[in-house]
Amino acid sequence: MTAVAETLDAVQSATEGGYKWGFSTEIEMDMAPKGLNEDIIRLISSRKEEPQWLLDWRLKAYAAWLKMEEPHWAMIHHPPIDYQDLHYYAAPKKKAGPKSLDEVDPELLKMYEKLGIPLKERAILAGVELPEGEAPQVAIDAVFDSVSVATTFKATLAKAGVIFCPISEAVRDHPELVRQYIGSVIPAGDNYFAALNSAVFTDGSFVFIPKGVRCPMELSTYFRINARNTGQFERTLIIVEDGGSVSYLEGCTAPQRDENQLHAAVVELVAMNDASIKYSTVQNWYPGDAEGRGGIYNFVTKRGICKGANSKISWTQVETGSAITWKYPSCILQGDGSVGEFYSVAVTTNHQQADTGTKMIHIGRNTRSTIVSKGISAGKSNNTYRGKVSVLKGAENARNFTQCDSLLIGDQCGAHTVPYIESRNPTAKLEHEATTSKISDDQLFYCRSRGLSQEDAVGMIVNGFCRDVLKELPMEFAVEAQKLLAVSLEGSVG
Amino acid sequence: MLEIKGLEASIGDKQILRGIDLVVPSGEVHAVMGPNGAGKSTLGYVLSGRAGYEATAGLATFNGADLLDIEPEERAALGLFLAFQYPVELPGVGNANFLRTALNALRRARGEAEMDAPGFLKLARAEMKRLSMPDDMLKRNVNVGFSGGEKKRNEVLQMAILRPKLAILDETDSGLDIDALRIVADGVNALRGPDFSALVITHYQRLLEYIVPDRVHVLVSGRIIRSGGPELALELEANGYAGMVADAA
């Protein structure tokens, strides 16, 4: 069975019992006490054996965070978050590195199975070597709770000069690169959640593509949030030097929980001259039950800078999970002729709330950006596109095309579009299109009269609506995402 | 065999069908003609299960199975197909994907093996060639940006691929030029055989020159007021509905 088929099966079996990925894994945890203070930050830093400069950076971020206030401008509502009621550090207890699958914690393997990770990848994730000559196409850096359990394909990638490792390892092995770039796109004090992340991030991925190298495989991270009440603070940093390129996939599922779980990740991308970065996300975290209880609070700061001329950063996201999504993957188009893209599908059902969009900041000349956002709201959910296109004075001939489409299912949900457009250069050409539509009874009946079930019909219509975004996803993700959309909306049309 | 007995149906509070009796044996093509507002389209919708078109009395069975109690997709699985008067657009949904998904849904429901993509494409291309349709019809989104004629031809293509046992054509001829009419008629005629029957709903006699019906029924004010052979259509063409209504009264 191929990876795609297995993934499909896994998603397909999600059709019953609500959120299929709602399980948790019993693995012994090494956990810091609840609460956040300088000592906890020192503990995190010392557990990770970090250099002094990083501890200082964390403490500075913490000091900044203390002076900041949680933002409330987004169209989301939630009970206050008690930041002192969370664990900020949890690590699976370390055993000696596994030499074969038999030595790997069976609970961990079970979890991979439930996640639908193909068998071959499971072994790789758990750190078991593949036989000679078997070259997998996807490299995975599995983030299991806060510590990366396994990092794969390092050898193959190393041959190409690519660095792909947990960020804590990068701090140890490539401190000069990390020090140069961390916080260079999203400063520690950028916003409330980014500051929090900077203070307490425990892991995440680091990618470095040297000059002229096209990364030989797609890089992939499976995220899991596992420990009860543990906020997850991932930090990802991707740097592509002149002429290099990389495609990075991020996919997430999480166990079912009653308490709300806070997630505040930071992703920074840096593209130099002629470099290109494609960052794709499928986010399927626990959205809460039908009444909206539980579910992940997802406050993410993602930003990339097209530093060099003719560089390109492309964000593609399929957001179906989380109780709250607060996320604006953005591009700073600094290099002349650089290109920023944002393709987004956000699905909300039941009581989910999503406030997501992008910022395109045009600084260089002849910079171009494209925004395609598809919001789908069902149930009693609220779905907001919030975007900003900003053309600075020196950005001669900047171009932007924005398309925001909303699809409503039922009559109790909301779709909102909040576009900000500012231009300080008269040569700019900016286009904005927006539509709002409903799945019509005509469309449903047409499909059903041809033999499709109501749910297949909804899935097909929604996938059609999202087509412009889904086609931007790498193949294996696109297949998974299509299925996910259909599964997410099951039962939403009465 | 389609059997309809004493069928009454309403849209909301408004009664449209006032007792329809009609039998279409396997292998036969019957035409239903009638003036605007007679209930022709309603008959098609009630038989295929459109929400809002409620049967309030009577029976409709197909090969013995009660049609009125089951979902539209279950009726499709029994072999029903409604060619729409106004085919619906599905933005972003490729015609090939739509058709293959539909075909496989029907196959699954019937306990048959699903058809893989290459097998489907071969089938679809052959049918399209037979119906003189350009290849790009499969690549385009379902009915999006299609001309009126193309939409109707697309309905016939779907019918050719899904191979229904009972096709209901709801004014498939409206808005068609003579060439398109011929293609549509060819599509229906190609399916004719002992296991295929059709209910051709039309305003005009013109289509019936190409799809020669075994029987013609005249539907007026929710009732079938006359039935006869193909010659009945010619009589209608000559005298109009008004005369016939007067006769029946």
Side-chain angles (χ1 to χ4, degrees):
Chain A
M1 215 188 241
T2 65
V4 173
E6 288 194 19
T7 309
L8 267 184
D9 283 352
V11 180
Q12 206 143 23
S13 55
T15 50
E16 274 154 22
Y19 189 72
K20 175 238 173 181
W21 295 277
F23 53 85
S24 68
T25 313
E26 305 288 330
I27 289 183
E28 287 179 85
M29 284 295 198
D30 169 11
M31 200 178 273
K34 276 185 182 175
L36 181 55
N37 53 49
E38 285 201 2
D39 287 342
I40 291 288
I41 293 166
R42 285 177 205 283
L43 172 80
I44 293 169
S45 193
S46 79
R47 282 293 169 88
K48 303 210 148 272
E49 295 163 17
E50 286 176 355
Q52 186 63 36
W53 65 263
L54 190 50
L55 174 61
D56 293 344
W57 190 76
R58 286 177 181 277
L59 291 173
K60 218 171 125 190
Y62 175 65
W65 179 74
L66 283 176
K67 293 194 194 104
M68 297 168 100
E69 276 187 28
E70 206 179 72
H72 292 288
W73 42 260
M75 220 175 113
I76 53 174
H77 305 280
H78 56 83
I81 300 166
D82 184 352
Y83 292 91
Q84 296 303 333
D85 195 36
L86 298 167
H87 294 279
Y88 286 86
Y89 183 75
K93 278 194 175 167
K94 276 183 194 162
K95 298 177 179 178
K99 296 288 176 282
S100 78
L101 266 180
D102 300 339
E103 287 179 35
V104 177
D105 189 331
E107 286 290 329
L108 189 58
L109 292 178
K110 247 189 244 169
M111 188 182 78
Y112 291 150
E113 196 182 333
K114 286 184 198 168
L115 272 170
I117 296 172
L119 203 61
K120 204 185 282 175
E121 288 179 20
R122 275 179 230 162
I124 296 155
L125 282 171
V128 180
E129 294 281 312
L130 275 181
E132 197 72 30
E134 276 193 57
Q137 294 308 301
V138 181
I140 300 162
D141 171 20
V143 177
F144 179 72
D145 250 12
S146 306
V147 169
S148 290
V149 172
T151 300
T152 60
F153 306 114
K154 258 190 232 160
T156 319
L157 293 172
K159 226 180 275 172
V162 171
I163 303 167
F164 176 39
C165 65
I167 198 158
S168 51
E169 214 173 292
V171 168
R172 195 184 64 212
D173 298 343
H174 311 281
E176 69 297 336
L177 281 175
V178 177
R179 193 170 185 176
Q180 184 183 349
Y181 288 106
I182 195 168
S184 70
V185 189
I186 302 170
D190 185 81
N191 68 66
Y192 189 79
F193 296 107
L196 180 63
N197 174 289
S198 301
V200 302
F201 76 90
T202 43
D203 226 316
S205 298
F206 177 81
V207 177
F208 179 78
I209 311 287
K211 212 168 172 169
V213 172
R214 306 174 70 86
C215 188
M217 58 181 75
E218 293 189 325
L219 304 180
S220 165
T221 303
Y222 286 91
F223 282 84
R224 294 285 297 171
I225 298 180
N226 197 266
R228 186 174 285 265
N229 284 344
T230 301
Q232 182 128 2
F233 304 94
E234 296 295 334
R235 183 135 199 141
T236 294
L237 178 55
I238 299 175
I239 301 142
V240 181
E241 291 201 313
D242 291 1
S245 71
V246 68
S247 169
Y248 187 89
L249 320 177
E250 169 200 52
C252 334
T253 59
Q256 189 155 354
R257 289 291 183 206
D258 287 324
E259 297 93 327
N260 292 305
Q261 290 184 308
L262 176 66
H263 184 90
V266 167
V267 176
E268 294 179 282
L269 312 180
V270 180
M272 310 305 275
N273 289 326
D274 302 301
S276 92
I277 302 174
K278 184 174 175 62
Y279 194 105
S280 313
T281 305
V282 171
Q283 188 267 113
N284 180 29
W285 283 332
Y286 181 54
D289 64 15
E291 273 71 51
R293 282 187 298 263
I296 305 292
Y297 288 3
N298 193 26
F299 297 95
V300 182
T301 309
K302 287 182 168 175
R303 194 177 302 154
I305 181 163
C306 285
K307 225 176 168 121
N310 304 313
S311 54
K312 178 177 173 182
I313 288 178
S314 180
W315 300 98
T316 307
Q317 62 175 22
V318 176
E319 305 278 323
T320 62
S322 297
I324 291 175
T325 299
W326 180 99
K327 182 177 175 187
Y328 316 90
S330 302
C331 298
I332 301 169
L333 303 171
Q334 185 182 322
D336 290 349
S338 58
V339 176
E341 294 175 340
F342 175 73
Y343 298 97
S344 170
V345 169
V347 180
T348 52
T349 61
N350 295 322
H351 287 266
Q352 277 178 284
Q353 308 173 65
D355 193 302
T356 184
T358 184
K359 281 191 267 186
M360 294 290 173
I361 314 294
H362 292 257
I363 300 171
R365 284 174 298 172
N366 302 313
T367 46
R368 284 172 291 144
S369 61
T370 304
I371 298 169
V372 179
S373 163
K374 306 277 181 176
I376 300 147
S377 341
K380 295 181 174 168
S381 68
N382 263 303
N383 203 324
T384 305
Y385 167 82
R386 189 181 302 277
K388 182 176 186 179
V389 176
S390 186
V391 178
L392 302 193
K393 223 169 174 180
E396 290 288 312
N397 299 315
R399 297 278 173 88
N400 166 265
F401 173 75
T402 299
Q403 179 164 357
C404 294
D405 297 324
S406 303
L407 187 68
L408 301 168
I409 301 174
D411 55 8
Q412 295 183 62
C413 54
H416 319 274
T417 303
V418 190
Y420 299 87
I421 300 169
E422 349 174 295
S423 176
R424 295 196 188 136
N425 187 309
T427 62
K429 283 190 186 160
L430 309 172
E431 290 174 72
H432 182 94
E433 291 178 8
T435 66
T436 303
S437 54
K438 287 187 78 164
I439 291 187
S440 73
D441 293 341
D442 283 354
Q443 288 176 321
L444 284 176
F445 176 61
Y446 190 66
C447 293
R448 294 179 73 189
S449 76
R450 299 299 181 252
L452 271 63
S453 68
Q454 169 113 326
E455 282 171 351
D456 286 349
V458 171
M460 179 159 271
I461 293 164
V462 167
N463 273 301
F465 174 74
C466 300
R467 195 177 158 271
D468 291 345
V469 173
L470 297 179
K471 69 178 195 212
E472 297 295 327
L473 286 171
M475 188 58 188
E476 56 269 58
F477 252 31
V479 175
E480 197 176 333
Q482 282 184 25
K483 203 69 210 171
L484 191 58
L485 288 182
V487 170
S488 303
L489 289 166
E490 264 174 13
S492 58
V493 177
Chain B
M1 181 164 70
L2 173 70
E3 285 185 279
I4 302 171
K5 277 185 201 152
L7 181 64
E8 297 180 19
S10 303
I11 307 172
D13 292 336
K14 197 179 169 202
Q15 190 175 9
I16 309 289
L17 301 182
R18 299 166 186 275
I20 303 261
D21 294 292
L22 181 64
V23 174
V24 184
S26 278
E28 291 194 6
V29 170
H30 288 204
V32 174
M33 301 182 73
N36 277 330
K40 300 189 300 294
S41 290
T42 298
L43 178 61
Y45 286 145
V46 170
L47 291 176
S48 48
R50 182 176 189 139
Y53 290 75
E54 203 191 338
T56 49
L59 287 174
T61 61
F62 181 63
N63 293 338
D66 182 2
L67 283 180
L68 300 178
D69 245 14
I70 57 177
E71 299 293 333
E73 58 269 31
E74 295 172 304
R75 303 182 199 204
L78 290 177
L80 246 70
F81 179 93
L82 174 67
F84 281 57
Q85 185 177 359
Y86 303 108
V88 179
E89 298 185 3
L90 301 175
V93 179
N95 223 3
N97 178 29
F98 177 67
L99 268 172
R100 188 161 85 89
T101 307
L103 181 63
N104 281 332
L106 294 176
R107 284 173 163 249
R108 260 200 317 276
R110 294 168 190 161
E112 296 165 15
E114 293 190 26
M115 193 176 265
D116 62 9
F120 170 77
L121 277 179
K122 211 173 142 193
L123 169 77
R125 291 221 175 91
E127 292 298 340
M128 288 169 70
K129 203 171 163 194
R130 227 171 34 76
L131 295 166
S132 331
M133 293 179 190
D135 259 6
D136 74 339
M137 198 99 156
L138 276 182
K139 290 182 197 141
R140 293 165 68 180
N141 291 338
V142 179
N143 295 326
V144 177
F146 283 33
S147 69
E150 283 177 323
K151 285 183 180 173
K152 297 297 173 72
R153 278 195 278 172
N154 198 25
E155 295 291 288
V156 173
L157 173 65
Q158 291 179 24
M159 189 171 70
I161 287 169
L162 300 179
R163 301 232 153 230
K165 292 195 180 109
L166 170 67
I168 302 166
L169 284 81
D170 187 8
E171 303 203 18
T172 303
D173 51 334
S174 65
L176 290 189
D177 61 32
I178 201 77
D179 294 332
L181 195 66
R182 216 169 260 148
I183 286 170
V184 166
D186 287 350
V188 176
N189 289 329
L191 290 172
R192 284 178 99 148
D195 291 329
F196 175 79
S197 49
L199 203 56
V200 180
I201 295 169
T202 182
H203 256 307
Y204 305 107
Q205 190 267 339
R206 194 177 60 156
L207 177 66
L208 304 181
E209 286 174 18
Y210 299 95
I211 306 173
V212 179
D214 297 288
R215 300 280 293 167
V216 174
H217 308 278
V218 181
L219 182 67
V220 177
S221 303
R223 286 192 189 94
I224 289 175
I225 57 164
R226 260 186 80 182
S227 297
E231 70 286 351
L232 185 56
L234 294 170
E235 191 189 324
L236 270 177
E237 188 87 343
N239 303 334
Y241 295 109
M244 202 169 284
V245 174
D247 285 354

